[in-house]
Amino acid sequence: MAAELVRGQNHPLSQVRLEIRVAAGKPVVAAATLGDERGRIHGIEWVAHPGTPTLPGLEVSKQAAADHRLAVDLGAMPEAVHRVSVLLALPLDGDGPARFGAVAAPFVAVTGLDGTEVASYTITGLDAESAVVALELYRRQGAWKVRAVGQGYAGGLAELLTDQGLPQASHLAGSINEAVAQGVARSVAAPPPRTADGDRTRQSATPALGPEGSGSTTQGASGAVAPQPTSPYGAQGTPGAVGPQSGFPGSAAPEDPGATQPATPATGGPIDYSHPRRQTGAPPAPAPTAPPAPPGQHARPVAGDATGWSMEERLYNQVWGMFEDLARTMAAYRSAVDFADSRMEKELDQALSDPRSRIGGQGDAAREAAQAKHAQLVDQARAALDRDLDQLAAESEVVEPALPLAFAGWDNPVWHGYRVPMEIPMAVRLGDLHLPESPELRIPMLVRLPLERGLWIDSGGAESFDGSFTDSHELRRLALDTAVAHAARLLAVYPAGEFAVHVIDPAGSAAQALAPLVHTGVLAAPPAAGAAGVADVLARLTQRVDLVQMAVRGGAADSLPPGLDTAEQLLIVNDFPHGFDDRAVTQLRYLADEGPSVGVHLMMVADREDAAGYGPLLDPLWRSLMRLTPLPDDHLADPWVGHAWTYEPSLVPRGSQVLQQVLTEVATARTKLR
């Protein structure tokens, strides 16, 4: 089923040979750039445009058209290419519209060679922009994904290419406009609007490249790039040899130039949360959509306005989309600021390299001009960032109160009506993430269930994120409180009897922090103390892992011992390595490596320095665990651009009785099962 993407959302690609179809209603210029791991363009030879329409694995149209087909062969991309950005721009011929806000929202689609739509994206929210990055295909860990971008630029192609790090951006933009102007008489106008159901794509499509292709189809190369590659498709549009397929998120999908076009939705502000056509490609459970916005106003965001089979899945995808959108928006801002800094430095070097400019007022004038340009660029970047942050904040204000129990913070009123769930949720919230430029905008950190990695609550490092210092004893107490909050949340989101918690506390130092778990009776057994208690708990859980692994590998899951607890198991370890001998350490490492696959999870509350005596022996243990901190700390990175995100744990508000109430409800439900 085709995915209808919203801005910032991605989708997996199951094919390497694709068509990217564009339907814009008015003639537009289609181009594409190749980028490295950081999205940077190394030179003009990394840009496919009407003047140079063919690059390895990529071919674009030679002229402006209302509909385009771009041929893409990801298997033929050079190893250095990790990103392919699809660009749309309005031609500067003086006759057509000068901004996207004056035309219908462009529609982009990624399809297979047979015309099957993989993903689609309607680029809403454009206004004064005359160029836009529609979507990007990017390689992550050997697999290709596509992301809906929708980033517009009022400065046209020159500003867009500059933002992508191309030094010759203005010169190349002029060359592209010149090439388009030479073929503007052959531009293909929009076909008449469809009067049927408004579907903008055809179920069966003609080949992308044919011997009599119109101006909207891709053409052969006549380029300045040496050597000039051949088209990714055969002469008659039939596919040639296909390389190994890649799979991962994909993005939008336009349409067949021969297909008639429907009426297109009206544009709004920078991000239109109404998401036109969402119900066409969404799963059976319909996602809510925002009502039409009054003229001049943006549609209000709607909770659950994402793809998914259930409201829970839609909210999960929406939160993930907000996370990705904030990462991308911040990357664009930081890139723009870096460019402004480097440009000012370069201009100052050029101005002061001439000794004559250092005498008199020429040097001061050059310095002031460079600083003024720098301030202007930074202000423009900040204005775009603030616009996106305001919209994400508005979306967060709507989404946060609507989150289900497993995704909600402890201060959410949903916990006051807590009832033990009947099904395991798809994810659980372990805290919040934010970036330094927008500390007030918090993105829930949702981790899929069942846990794929153990958790390490770091009780070391007394210096907090803001530079203040916390007493080591206070830090250990906070780490234990964080561990108890996480354990209580896991107990609360699982059905009764399907999650068990064990505790190892060799010296009994965690008695006060563990009181909520102990007094409500939700623990599988009292906390294990001393070396004997450590050995007993580790032996039982290790044996469970061995038995389940043998049963699963032998296909005899029904032959497990009748007394074996089949619930998910969580082991909380405090004060490691106190009370652990060499055998216990080996068993702990075994549980960390093999346990998650058979339902045994580890949560360590420890200071790595306390185990420094073991040297590199325990390095694999720490690496296998997800490190969380009891205080705000910027140790987590996103998978797209590698921002350092500040993590804050999800803790129970001081003085609140919600934790006690929830654990009491869990214990009562367990009692009824016996």
Side-chain angles (χ1 to χ4, degrees), residues 117-160:
E117 184 177 305
V118 178
S120 63
Y121 174 40
T122 301
I123 311 174
T124 58
L126 299 178
D127 188 10
E129 298 87 346
S130 59
V132 61
V133 180
L135 55 83
E136 62 183 13
L137 310 166
Y138 62 99
R139 180 166 23 200
R140 188 77 66 196
Q141 297 179 347
W144 285 91
K145 304 180 180 182
V146 69
R147 178 185 296 123
V149 180
Q151 177 64 56
Y153 295 85
L157 278 174
E159 183 182 359
L160 187 156

Coordinates of all heavy atoms in Angstrom, one line a residue, residues 117-160:
E117 N 2.7 2.9 -7.2 CA 3.1 4.0 -6.3 C 3.7 3.5 -5.0 O 3.0 2.6 -4.3 CB 1.9 4.9 -6.0 CG 2.3 6.2 -5.2 CD 1.1 7.1 -5.0 OE1 0.5 7.5 -6.1 OE2 0.7 7.4 -3.9
V118 N 4.8 4.0 -4.6 CA 5.5 3.6 -3.3 C 5.1 4.6 -2.2 O 4.7 4.2 -1.1 CB 7.0 3.5 -3.5 CG1 7.7 3.1 -2.2 CG2 7.4 2.4 -4.6
A119 N 5.2 5.8 -2.6 CA 5.0 6.9 -1.6 C 4.6 8.2 -2.3 O 5.1 8.4 -3.4 CB 6.1 7.1 -0.6
S120 N 3.8 9.0 -1.7 CA 3.5 10.3 -2.3 C 3.5 11.4 -1.3 O 3.5 11.2 -0.1 CB 2.1 10.2 -2.9 OG 1.1 10.0 -1.9
Y121 N 3.7 12.6 -1.8 CA 3.8 13.8 -0.9 C 3.2 15.0 -1.6 O 3.7 15.3 -2.7 CB 5.3 14.0 -0.6 CG 5.6 15.2 0.2 CD1 4.8 15.7 1.2 CD2 6.7 16.0 -0.1 CE1 5.1 16.8 1.9 CE2 7.1 17.1 0.6 CZ 6.2 17.5 1.6 OH 6.5 18.7 2.4
T122 N 2.3 15.7 -1.0 CA 1.8 16.9 -1.5 C 2.5 18.1 -0.8 O 2.4 18.2 0.4 CB 0.2 17.0 -1.3 OG1 -0.4 15.9 -2.0 CG2 -0.3 18.3 -1.9
I123 N 3.2 18.9 -1.5 CA 4.0 20.0 -0.9 C 3.1 21.2 -0.6 O 3.0 22.1 -1.4 CB 5.2 20.3 -1.8 CG1 5.9 19.1 -2.3 CG2 6.2 21.2 -1.1 CD1 6.9 19.4 -3.4
T124 N 2.5 21.2 0.6 CA 1.7 22.2 1.0 C 2.5 23.3 1.8 O 3.6 23.0 2.2 CB 0.5 21.7 1.9 OG1 1.1 21.0 3.0 CG2 -0.3 20.8 1.1
G125 N 1.9 24.4 2.0 CA 2.4 25.4 2.9 C 3.4 26.4 2.2 O 4.1 27.1 2.9
L126 N 3.6 26.3 0.9 CA 4.5 27.2 0.2 C 3.9 28.6 0.0 O 2.7 28.6 -0.3 CB 5.0 26.6 -1.1 CG 5.8 25.3 -1.0 CD1 6.2 24.8 -2.3 CD2 7.0 25.4 -0.1
D127 N 4.7 29.6 0.0 CA 4.1 31.0 -0.2 C 5.0 31.8 -1.1 O 4.8 31.8 -2.3 CB 3.9 31.6 1.2 CG 3.2 33.0 1.1 OD1 2.6 33.2 0.0 OD2 3.1 33.7 2.1
A128 N 6.0 32.5 -0.5 CA 6.8 33.3 -1.4 C 8.0 32.6 -2.0 O 8.8 33.1 -2.7 CB 7.4 34.5 -0.5
E129 N 8.1 31.3 -1.7 CA 9.2 30.5 -2.2 C 9.1 30.3 -3.7 O 8.0 30.0 -4.3 CB 9.3 29.1 -1.5 CG 9.5 29.2 0.0 CD 8.3 29.4 0.8 OE1 7.2 29.7 0.2 OE2 8.3 29.2 2.0
S130 N 10.2 30.3 -4.4 CA 10.2 30.0 -5.9 C 11.0 28.8 -6.2 O 11.1 28.4 -7.3 CB 10.8 31.2 -6.6 OG 12.1 31.5 -6.2
A131 N 11.7 28.2 -5.2 CA 12.4 26.9 -5.3 C 12.1 26.1 -4.1 O 11.9 26.6 -3.0 CB 13.9 27.1 -5.6
V132 N 12.1 24.8 -4.2 CA 11.8 23.9 -3.1 C 12.5 22.6 -3.2 O 12.7 22.1 -4.3 CB 10.3 23.7 -3.0 CG1 9.7 23.0 -4.2 CG2 9.9 22.9 -1.7
V133 N 13.0 22.1 -2.1 CA 13.5 20.7 -2.1 C 12.3 19.8 -1.8 O 11.8 19.8 -0.7 CB 14.6 20.5 -1.0 CG1 15.1 19.1 -0.9 CG2 15.8 21.4 -1.2
A134 N 11.9 19.1 -2.8 CA 10.6 18.3 -2.6 C 10.8 17.1 -1.7 O 10.0 16.9 -0.8 CB 10.1 17.9 -4.0
L135 N 11.8 16.3 -2.0 CA 12.1 15.1 -1.2 C 13.5 14.7 -1.4 O 14.2 15.3 -2.3 CB 11.1 14.0 -1.6 CG 11.0 13.5 -3.1 CD1 12.2 12.6 -3.4 CD2 9.7 12.9 -3.4
E136 N 14.0 13.8 -0.6 CA 15.3 13.3 -0.7 C 15.4 11.8 -0.5 O 14.7 11.3 0.3 CB 16.2 14.0 0.3 CG 15.9 13.8 1.7 CD 16.8 14.5 2.7 OE1 17.5 15.4 2.2 OE2 16.8 14.2 3.9
L137 N 16.1 11.2 -1.3 CA 16.4 9.7 -1.2 C 17.8 9.7 -0.5 O 18.7 10.3 -0.9 CB 16.5 9.0 -2.5 CG 15.4 9.2 -3.5 CD1 15.8 8.8 -4.9 CD2 14.2 8.5 -3.0
Y138 N 17.9 8.9 0.6 CA 19.2 8.9 1.3 C 19.5 7.5 1.8 O 18.6 6.6 2.0 CB 19.1 9.8 2.5 CG 18.1 9.5 3.6 CD1 18.4 8.8 4.7 CD2 16.8 9.9 3.4 CE1 17.5 8.6 5.7 CE2 15.8 9.7 4.4 CZ 16.2 9.0 5.5 OH 15.3 8.7 6.5
R139 N 20.8 7.2 1.8 CA 21.3 5.9 2.1 C 21.7 5.9 3.6 O 22.4 6.7 4.1 CB 22.5 5.6 1.3 CG 23.1 4.2 1.6 CD 24.1 3.7 0.5 NE 24.7 4.7 -0.3 CZ 25.3 4.4 -1.5 NH1 25.3 3.2 -1.9 NH2 25.9 5.3 -2.2
R140 N 21.2 4.9 4.3 CA 21.5 4.7 5.8 C 21.8 3.3 6.0 O 21.0 2.4 5.8 CB 20.3 5.2 6.6 CG 20.6 5.3 8.1 CD 21.4 6.5 8.4 NE 20.7 7.7 8.2 CZ 21.2 8.9 8.1 NH1 22.5 9.0 8.2 NH2 20.4 10.0 7.9
Q141 N 23.1 3.0 6.4 CA 23.5 1.7 6.7 C 23.2 0.7 5.6 O 22.8 -0.4 5.7 CB 22.8 1.2 8.0 CG 23.2 2.0 9.2 CD 22.5 1.5 10.5 OE1 21.6 0.7 10.4 NE2 23.0 1.9 11.6
G142 N 23.6 1.2 4.4 CA 23.5 0.3 3.2 C 22.1 0.3 2.6 O 21.9 -0.3 1.5
A143 N 21.1 0.8 3.2 CA 19.7 0.8 2.7 C 19.2 2.2 2.4 O 19.7 3.2 3.0 CB 18.8 0.1 3.7
W144 N 18.4 2.3 1.4 CA 17.9 3.6 0.9 C 16.5 3.9 1.5 O 15.6 3.0 1.6 CB 17.8 3.6 -0.6 CG 19.1 3.7 -1.3 CD1 20.0 2.7 -1.7 CD2 19.8 4.9 -1.6 NE1 21.1 3.2 -2.2 CE2 21.0 4.6 -2.2 CE3 19.5 6.3 -1.4 CZ2 22.0 5.5 -2.6 CZ3 20.4 7.2 -1.9 CH2 21.6 6.9 -2.5
K145 N 16.3 5.1 1.9 CA 15.0 5.7 2.3 C 14.7 6.9 1.5 O 15.6 7.5 0.9 CB 15.1 6.0 3.8 CG 15.6 4.9 4.8 CD 15.6 5.5 6.2 CE 16.0 4.4 7.2 NZ 16.0 4.9 8.6
V146 N 13.5 7.3 1.7 CA 13.1 8.6 1.1 C 12.3 9.4 2.1 O 11.6 8.9 2.9 CB 12.2 8.4 -0.2 CG1 10.9 7.8 0.1 CG2 12.1 9.7 -1.0
R147 N 12.6 10.7 2.1 CA 12.0 11.6 3.1 C 11.3 12.7 2.4 O 11.8 13.3 1.5 CB 13.0 12.1 4.1 CG 12.5 13.1 5.1 CD 13.6 13.7 6.0 NE 14.2 12.7 6.8 CZ 15.5 12.5 6.8 NH1 16.3 13.2 5.9 NH2 16.1 11.6 7.5
A148 N 10.1 13.1 2.9 CA 9.4 14.2 2.4 C 10.0 15.5 3.1 O 10.0 15.6 4.3 CB 7.9 14.1 2.7
V149 N 10.5 16.4 2.3 CA 11.2 17.6 2.8 C 10.3 18.8 2.8 O 10.0 19.4 3.8 CB 12.5 17.8 2.1 CG1 13.3 19.0 2.7 CG2 13.4 16.5 2.2
G150 N 10.0 19.3 1.5 CA 9.2 20.4 1.4 C 9.8 21.7 1.9 O 9.1 22.7 2.3
Q151 N 11.1 21.9 1.8 CA 11.8 23.1 2.3 C 11.9 24.1 1.1 O 12.5 23.8 0.1 CB 13.2 22.7 2.8 CG 14.0 23.9 3.2 CD 13.4 24.7 4.4 OE1 13.2 24.0 5.4 NE2 13.2 25.9 4.2
G152 N 11.2 25.2 1.3 CA 11.2 26.2 0.2 C 12.2 27.3 0.4 O 12.7 27.6 1.5
Y153 N 12.5 28.0 -0.7 CA 13.5 29.1 -0.7 C 13.0 30.3 -1.5 O 12.7 30.1 -2.7 CB 14.8 28.6 -1.2 CG 15.5 27.6 -0.4 CD1 15.2 26.2 -0.5 CD2 16.4 27.9 0.6 CE1 15.8 25.2 0.2 CE2 17.1 26.9 1.4 CZ 16.7 25.6 1.2 OH 17.3 24.6 1.9
A154 N 12.8 31.4 -0.8 CA 12.3 32.6 -1.6 C 13.4 33.1 -2.5 O 13.1 33.8 -3.5 CB 11.9 33.7 -0.5
G155 N 14.6 32.8 -2.3 CA 15.7 33.3 -3.1 C 15.9 32.4 -4.3 O 16.9 32.6 -5.1
G156 N 15.1 31.4 -4.6 CA 15.2 30.6 -5.8 C 16.3 29.6 -5.7 O 16.8 29.2 -4.6
L157 N 16.7 29.1 -6.9 CA 17.7 28.0 -7.0 C 19.0 28.5 -6.4 O 19.7 27.6 -5.8 CB 17.9 27.6 -8.4 CG 16.8 26.6 -9.0 CD1 17.1 26.5 -10.5 CD2 17.0 25.3 -8.3
A158 N 19.4 29.7 -6.5 CA 20.7 30.2 -6.0 C 20.7 30.0 -4.5 O 21.7 29.5 -3.9 CB 20.9 31.6 -6.4
E159 N 19.7 30.4 -3.8 CA 19.6 30.2 -2.3 C 19.6 28.8 -2.0 O 20.2 28.3 -1.0 CB 18.4 31.0 -1.8 CG 18.4 31.0 -0.3 CD 17.2 31.7 0.3 OE1 16.4 32.2 -0.5 OE2 17.0 31.7 1.5
L160 N 18.8 28.0 -2.7 CA 18.7 26.6 -2.4 C 20.0 25.9 -2.5 O 20.4 25.1 -1.6 CB 17.6 25.9 -3.3 CG 17.2 24.5 -3.1 CD1 15.8 24.2 -3.7 CD2 18.2 23.5 -3.6

